[in-house]
Amino acid sequence: MSFRSPYPVPGVIWASLPLPAVLINPYGIIIESNPAAEAFLNASSKSLQGQPAFDRILIDAPVDEALSRARANQSPIFINDVDVTSGERPPVQCNIQIAPLHDNAEIVMLLISPREIADRLGRATAAKSAAKSAIGMAEMLAHEIKNPLAGISGAAQLIAMNLSAEDRELADLIVEETRRIVKLLEQVEQFGNLRPPERRAVNIHDALDRARKSAAVGFAAKMRITEEYDPSLPATYADADQLMQVFLNLIKNAAEAAGPQGGRIRLRTFYDISLRLRRADGSGGALPLQVEIIDDGPGIAPDIAKEIFEPFVSGRENGTGLGLALVNKIISDHGGWISVDSAPGRTVFRVSLPVAPREAASNDMEVK
């Protein structure tokens, strides 16, 4: 029995659809799937063909009823905000469109529109706006609080010189706590730094290696860090020190998620041309250079996952909530994009960056 539709969608259009799409026959069997569906379901079109559609595409909605209505009414059905998964990846919130083919109403097209990219872009924009709003408060706090704290710490040290051992312990506690607050304020000052990045052609792997080496002798000493690099990647256009800071913060975040028992961190780079961001001037910008920091920790709590890049949101009890906000700010200042996909046992932070302009790469080679 052939599962192919006698009314195939024109090949060029079908292959060019940017959204996952499958054709389903009256028996609920997949007869066609486009390349976007192959990527979304992590399966080849050949392996999907002939399979029960809703064994391979798990949708948290009464889809059978929607298919019947679409066929009976000869009209499309829209289902918004439902969780969709292939069973091998965390559920993704999607909008679903179901429509009978014009020339054969028994064959139905199921179009899956993942909201994760649009939502993440929206959250990135909102987080960037929130970061700018927090900068004024950060600078004010740092300036107004650090100076009095220095006086408090100095006074406590002087008083401690004439105290008994028991009372000296309390004075030492004052000094210790003021130092802790000063350290926090220094992070706030760093977050409020509006210095634009000094961008030039930068080898992503050089920045990653600097971060990895620094982490391996410090907070990530108990972590097993592995590398999966694509050595053919061209240079990006970035501030080398700020980019290194981004990777260092993400590795630190992964190490802290694992806890004292340690775990594994994978550093992965690859090229993907599918992501483009629209700039403020209306032009489009490709972000083909991908860096992933992957850990096997417990994952991000669902109640904070959507706000994880916003200032003062932290998944750790004593976290400041500024590390990932700073990362987001730096990447946004570079015209890039950062996202996270988290489930227990696997959290992936992906940084997407542009390729350095040809003239910048040439100038960098001349300097060397």
Side-chain angles (χ1 to χ4, degrees), residues 54-75:
F54 303 113
D55 285 353
R56 302 303 301 266
I57 310 170
L58 308 180
I59 303 175
D60 187 18
V63 185
D64 288 336
E65 178 185 343
L67 287 172
S68 299
R69 286 170 54 200
R71 290 191 178 100
N73 299 332
Q74 291 295 288
S75 62

PDB file of all heavy atoms in Angstrom, residues 54-75:
ATOM      1  N   PHE A  54      -0.082  10.731  15.116  1.00  0.00           N
ATOM      2  CA  PHE A  54      -0.067  11.181  16.501  1.00  0.00           C
ATOM      3  C   PHE A  54       0.614  10.190  17.442  1.00  0.00           C
ATOM      4  O   PHE A  54       0.516  10.313  18.654  1.00  0.00           O
ATOM      5  CB  PHE A  54      -1.488  11.538  16.925  1.00  0.00           C
ATOM      6  CG  PHE A  54      -2.074  12.590  16.019  1.00  0.00           C
ATOM      7  CD1 PHE A  54      -3.139  12.298  15.180  1.00  0.00           C
ATOM      8  CD2 PHE A  54      -1.487  13.846  15.942  1.00  0.00           C
ATOM      9  CE1 PHE A  54      -3.633  13.253  14.312  1.00  0.00           C
ATOM     10  CE2 PHE A  54      -1.968  14.801  15.081  1.00  0.00           C
ATOM     11  CZ  PHE A  54      -3.048  14.508  14.249  1.00  0.00           C
ATOM     12  N   ASP A  55       1.324   9.225  16.816  1.00  0.00           N
ATOM     13  CA  ASP A  55       2.336   8.472  17.566  1.00  0.00           C
ATOM     14  C   ASP A  55       3.670   9.205  17.500  1.00  0.00           C
ATOM     15  O   ASP A  55       4.507   9.071  18.384  1.00  0.00           O
ATOM     16  CB  ASP A  55       2.496   7.064  16.995  1.00  0.00           C
ATOM     17  CG  ASP A  55       1.349   6.148  17.380  1.00  0.00           C
ATOM     18  OD1 ASP A  55       0.501   6.579  18.189  1.00  0.00           O
ATOM     19  OD2 ASP A  55       1.280   5.026  16.855  1.00  0.00           O
ATOM     20  N   ARG A  56       3.854   9.977  16.406  1.00  0.00           N
ATOM     21  CA  ARG A  56       5.113  10.694  16.215  1.00  0.00           C
ATOM     22  C   ARG A  56       5.023  12.160  16.616  1.00  0.00           C
ATOM     23  O   ARG A  56       6.037  12.792  16.911  1.00  0.00           O
ATOM     24  CB  ARG A  56       5.550  10.609  14.741  1.00  0.00           C
ATOM     25  CG  ARG A  56       5.724   9.200  14.217  1.00  0.00           C
ATOM     26  CD  ARG A  56       6.719   8.394  15.045  1.00  0.00           C
ATOM     27  NE  ARG A  56       8.027   8.989  15.073  1.00  0.00           N
ATOM     28  CZ  ARG A  56       9.016   8.685  14.245  1.00  0.00           C
ATOM     29  NH1 ARG A  56       8.824   7.757  13.332  1.00  0.00           N
ATOM     30  NH2 ARG A  56      10.183   9.272  14.342  1.00  0.00           N
ATOM     31  N   ILE A  57       3.816  12.712  16.584  1.00  0.00           N
ATOM     32  CA  ILE A  57       3.617  14.114  16.959  1.00  0.00           C
ATOM     33  C   ILE A  57       2.634  14.153  18.117  1.00  0.00           C
ATOM     34  O   ILE A  57       1.448  13.874  17.944  1.00  0.00           O
ATOM     35  CB  ILE A  57       3.045  14.939  15.784  1.00  0.00           C
ATOM     36  CG1 ILE A  57       3.863  14.720  14.505  1.00  0.00           C
ATOM     37  CG2 ILE A  57       3.007  16.423  16.136  1.00  0.00           C
ATOM     38  CD1 ILE A  57       3.218  15.302  13.261  1.00  0.00           C
ATOM     39  N   LEU A  58       3.140  14.447  19.291  1.00  0.00           N
ATOM     40  CA  LEU A  58       2.302  14.434  20.490  1.00  0.00           C
ATOM     41  C   LEU A  58       1.811  15.856  20.752  1.00  0.00           C
ATOM     42  O   LEU A  58       2.603  16.764  21.014  1.00  0.00           O
ATOM     43  CB  LEU A  58       3.098  13.919  21.685  1.00  0.00           C
ATOM     44  CG  LEU A  58       3.811  12.564  21.465  1.00  0.00           C
ATOM     45  CD1 LEU A  58       4.560  12.147  22.716  1.00  0.00           C
ATOM     46  CD2 LEU A  58       2.809  11.487  21.050  1.00  0.00           C
ATOM     47  N   ILE A  59       0.494  16.040  20.649  1.00  0.00           N
ATOM     48  CA  ILE A  59      -0.119  17.363  20.783  1.00  0.00           C
ATOM     49  C   ILE A  59      -1.108  17.336  21.941  1.00  0.00           C
ATOM     50  O   ILE A  59      -1.994  16.468  21.995  1.00  0.00           O
ATOM     51  CB  ILE A  59      -0.839  17.771  19.482  1.00  0.00           C
ATOM     52  CG1 ILE A  59       0.142  17.750  18.301  1.00  0.00           C
ATOM     53  CG2 ILE A  59      -1.482  19.149  19.622  1.00  0.00           C
ATOM     54  CD1 ILE A  59      -0.500  18.020  16.958  1.00  0.00           C
ATOM     55  N   ASP A  60      -0.959  18.287  22.827  1.00  0.00           N
ATOM     56  CA  ASP A  60      -1.825  18.363  24.007  1.00  0.00           C
ATOM     57  C   ASP A  60      -3.137  19.069  23.652  1.00  0.00           C
ATOM     58  O   ASP A  60      -3.429  20.170  24.133  1.00  0.00           O
ATOM     59  CB  ASP A  60      -1.095  19.102  25.142  1.00  0.00           C
ATOM     60  CG  ASP A  60      -1.875  19.061  26.459  1.00  0.00           C
ATOM     61  OD1 ASP A  60      -2.761  18.206  26.592  1.00  0.00           O
ATOM     62  OD2 ASP A  60      -1.581  19.892  27.339  1.00  0.00           O
ATOM     63  N   ALA A  61      -3.921  18.437  22.781  1.00  0.00           N
ATOM     64  CA  ALA A  61      -5.202  18.998  22.343  1.00  0.00           C
ATOM     65  C   ALA A  61      -5.969  17.896  21.610  1.00  0.00           C
ATOM     66  O   ALA A  61      -5.365  16.934  21.109  1.00  0.00           O
ATOM     67  CB  ALA A  61      -4.984  20.202  21.427  1.00  0.00           C
ATOM     68  N   PRO A  62      -7.302  18.005  21.523  1.00  0.00           N
ATOM     69  CA  PRO A  62      -8.112  16.991  20.820  1.00  0.00           C
ATOM     70  C   PRO A  62      -7.979  17.141  19.307  1.00  0.00           C
ATOM     71  O   PRO A  62      -8.874  17.653  18.625  1.00  0.00           O
ATOM     72  CB  PRO A  62      -9.536  17.291  21.309  1.00  0.00           C
ATOM     73  CG  PRO A  62      -9.522  18.743  21.660  1.00  0.00           C
ATOM     74  CD  PRO A  62      -8.140  19.031  22.173  1.00  0.00           C
ATOM     75  N   VAL A  63      -6.871  16.673  18.739  1.00  0.00           N
ATOM     76  CA  VAL A  63      -6.581  16.903  17.330  1.00  0.00           C
ATOM     77  C   VAL A  63      -7.455  16.045  16.422  1.00  0.00           C
ATOM     78  O   VAL A  63      -7.829  16.473  15.322  1.00  0.00           O
ATOM     79  CB  VAL A  63      -5.085  16.637  17.050  1.00  0.00           C
ATOM     80  CG1 VAL A  63      -4.742  16.979  15.609  1.00  0.00           C
ATOM     81  CG2 VAL A  63      -4.214  17.460  17.984  1.00  0.00           C
ATOM     82  N   ASP A  64      -7.798  14.824  16.841  1.00  0.00           N
ATOM     83  CA  ASP A  64      -8.646  13.957  16.004  1.00  0.00           C
ATOM     84  C   ASP A  64      -9.966  14.646  15.680  1.00  0.00           C
ATOM     85  O   ASP A  64     -10.444  14.617  14.538  1.00  0.00           O
ATOM     86  CB  ASP A  64      -8.910  12.625  16.720  1.00  0.00           C
ATOM     87  CG  ASP A  64      -7.672  11.748  16.758  1.00  0.00           C
ATOM     88  OD1 ASP A  64      -6.805  11.940  15.880  1.00  0.00           O
ATOM     89  OD2 ASP A  64      -7.566  10.900  17.654  1.00  0.00           O
ATOM     90  N   GLU A  65     -10.542  15.272  16.693  1.00  0.00           N
ATOM     91  CA  GLU A  65     -11.801  15.988  16.487  1.00  0.00           C
ATOM     92  C   GLU A  65     -11.610  17.155  15.521  1.00  0.00           C
ATOM     93  O   GLU A  65     -12.456  17.407  14.645  1.00  0.00           O
ATOM     94  CB  GLU A  65     -12.315  16.505  17.832  1.00  0.00           C
ATOM     95  CG  GLU A  65     -13.601  17.320  17.731  1.00  0.00           C
ATOM     96  CD  GLU A  65     -14.009  17.906  19.072  1.00  0.00           C
ATOM     97  OE1 GLU A  65     -13.489  17.431  20.119  1.00  0.00           O
ATOM     98  OE2 GLU A  65     -14.825  18.836  19.073  1.00  0.00           O
ATOM     99  N   ALA A  66     -10.480  17.864  15.659  1.00  0.00           N
ATOM    100  CA  ALA A  66     -10.207  18.987  14.761  1.00  0.00           C
ATOM    101  C   ALA A  66     -10.030  18.520  13.318  1.00  0.00           C
ATOM    102  O   ALA A  66     -10.495  19.180  12.377  1.00  0.00           O
ATOM    103  CB  ALA A  66      -8.969  19.733  15.239  1.00  0.00           C
ATOM    104  N   LEU A  67      -9.363  17.382  13.129  1.00  0.00           N
ATOM    105  CA  LEU A  67      -9.195  16.832  11.777  1.00  0.00           C
ATOM    106  C   LEU A  67     -10.543  16.511  11.155  1.00  0.00           C
ATOM    107  O   LEU A  67     -10.801  16.809   9.973  1.00  0.00           O
ATOM    108  CB  LEU A  67      -8.323  15.583  11.827  1.00  0.00           C
ATOM    109  CG  LEU A  67      -6.823  15.766  12.087  1.00  0.00           C
ATOM    110  CD1 LEU A  67      -6.154  14.421  12.293  1.00  0.00           C
ATOM    111  CD2 LEU A  67      -6.167  16.501  10.935  1.00  0.00           C
ATOM    112  N   SER A  68     -11.427  15.883  11.930  1.00  0.00           N
ATOM    113  CA  SER A  68     -12.751  15.525  11.424  1.00  0.00           C
ATOM    114  C   SER A  68     -13.544  16.770  11.040  1.00  0.00           C
ATOM    115  O   SER A  68     -14.209  16.806   9.998  1.00  0.00           O
ATOM    116  CB  SER A  68     -13.512  14.724  12.488  1.00  0.00           C
ATOM    117  OG  SER A  68     -12.826  13.528  12.807  1.00  0.00           O
ATOM    118  N   ARG A  69     -13.466  17.808  11.852  1.00  0.00           N
ATOM    119  CA  ARG A  69     -14.203  19.043  11.565  1.00  0.00           C
ATOM    120  C   ARG A  69     -13.659  19.718  10.317  1.00  0.00           C
ATOM    121  O   ARG A  69     -14.423  20.258   9.496  1.00  0.00           O
ATOM    122  CB  ARG A  69     -14.121  19.985  12.757  1.00  0.00           C
ATOM    123  CG  ARG A  69     -14.991  19.571  13.937  1.00  0.00           C
ATOM    124  CD  ARG A  69     -14.674  20.422  15.161  1.00  0.00           C
ATOM    125  NE  ARG A  69     -14.766  21.851  14.866  1.00  0.00           N
ATOM    126  CZ  ARG A  69     -14.199  22.800  15.599  1.00  0.00           C
ATOM    127  NH1 ARG A  69     -13.472  22.467  16.666  1.00  0.00           N
ATOM    128  NH2 ARG A  69     -14.343  24.067  15.275  1.00  0.00           N
ATOM    129  N   ALA A  70     -12.334  19.702  10.161  1.00  0.00           N
ATOM    130  CA  ALA A  70     -11.735  20.331   8.987  1.00  0.00           C
ATOM    131  C   ALA A  70     -12.183  19.627   7.713  1.00  0.00           C
ATOM    132  O   ALA A  70     -12.494  20.285   6.708  1.00  0.00           O
ATOM    133  CB  ALA A  70     -10.209  20.310   9.102  1.00  0.00           C
ATOM    134  N   ARG A  71     -12.220  18.285   7.744  1.00  0.00           N
ATOM    135  CA  ARG A  71     -12.676  17.525   6.573  1.00  0.00           C
ATOM    136  C   ARG A  71     -14.164  17.751   6.318  1.00  0.00           C
ATOM    137  O   ARG A  71     -14.593  17.948   5.174  1.00  0.00           O
ATOM    138  CB  ARG A  71     -12.399  16.039   6.773  1.00  0.00           C
ATOM    139  CG  ARG A  71     -10.921  15.660   6.730  1.00  0.00           C
ATOM    140  CD  ARG A  71     -10.753  14.153   6.670  1.00  0.00           C
ATOM    141  NE  ARG A  71      -9.354  13.767   6.587  1.00  0.00           N
ATOM    142  CZ  ARG A  71      -8.642  13.343   7.625  1.00  0.00           C
ATOM    143  NH1 ARG A  71      -9.199  13.254   8.825  1.00  0.00           N
ATOM    144  NH2 ARG A  71      -7.380  13.016   7.466  1.00  0.00           N
ATOM    145  N   ALA A  72     -14.969  17.709   7.380  1.00  0.00           N
ATOM    146  CA  ALA A  72     -16.422  17.826   7.218  1.00  0.00           C
ATOM    147  C   ALA A  72     -16.833  19.210   6.737  1.00  0.00           C
ATOM    148  O   ALA A  72     -17.724  19.350   5.874  1.00  0.00           O
ATOM    149  CB  ALA A  72     -17.115  17.497   8.538  1.00  0.00           C
ATOM    150  N   ASN A  73     -16.182  20.244   7.274  1.00  0.00           N
ATOM    151  CA  ASN A  73     -16.566  21.619   6.944  1.00  0.00           C
ATOM    152  C   ASN A  73     -15.783  22.198   5.774  1.00  0.00           C
ATOM    153  O   ASN A  73     -16.070  23.313   5.330  1.00  0.00           O
ATOM    154  CB  ASN A  73     -16.382  22.525   8.161  1.00  0.00           C
ATOM    155  CG  ASN A  73     -17.240  22.125   9.338  1.00  0.00           C
ATOM    156  OD1 ASN A  73     -18.307  21.549   9.150  1.00  0.00           O
ATOM    157  ND2 ASN A  73     -16.782  22.426  10.545  1.00  0.00           N
ATOM    158  N   GLN A  74     -14.793  21.444   5.305  1.00  0.00           N
ATOM    159  CA  GLN A  74     -13.954  21.925   4.208  1.00  0.00           C
ATOM    160  C   GLN A  74     -13.378  23.309   4.507  1.00  0.00           C
ATOM    161  O   GLN A  74     -13.377  24.211   3.662  1.00  0.00           O
ATOM    162  CB  GLN A  74     -14.755  21.958   2.896  1.00  0.00           C
ATOM    163  CG  GLN A  74     -15.122  20.600   2.354  1.00  0.00           C
ATOM    164  CD  GLN A  74     -13.886  19.822   1.953  1.00  0.00           C
ATOM    165  OE1 GLN A  74     -13.235  20.133   0.958  1.00  0.00           O
ATOM    166  NE2 GLN A  74     -13.527  18.820   2.738  1.00  0.00           N
ATOM    167  N   SER A  75     -12.908  23.461   5.742  1.00  0.00           N
ATOM    168  CA  SER A  75     -12.361  24.752   6.156  1.00  0.00           C
ATOM    169  C   SER A  75     -11.241  24.519   7.152  1.00  0.00           C
ATOM    170  O   SER A  75     -11.210  23.492   7.841  1.00  0.00           O
ATOM    171  CB  SER A  75     -13.446  25.631   6.777  1.00  0.00           C
ATOM    172  OG  SER A  75     -13.967  25.026   7.946  1.00  0.00           O
TER     173      SER A  75
END
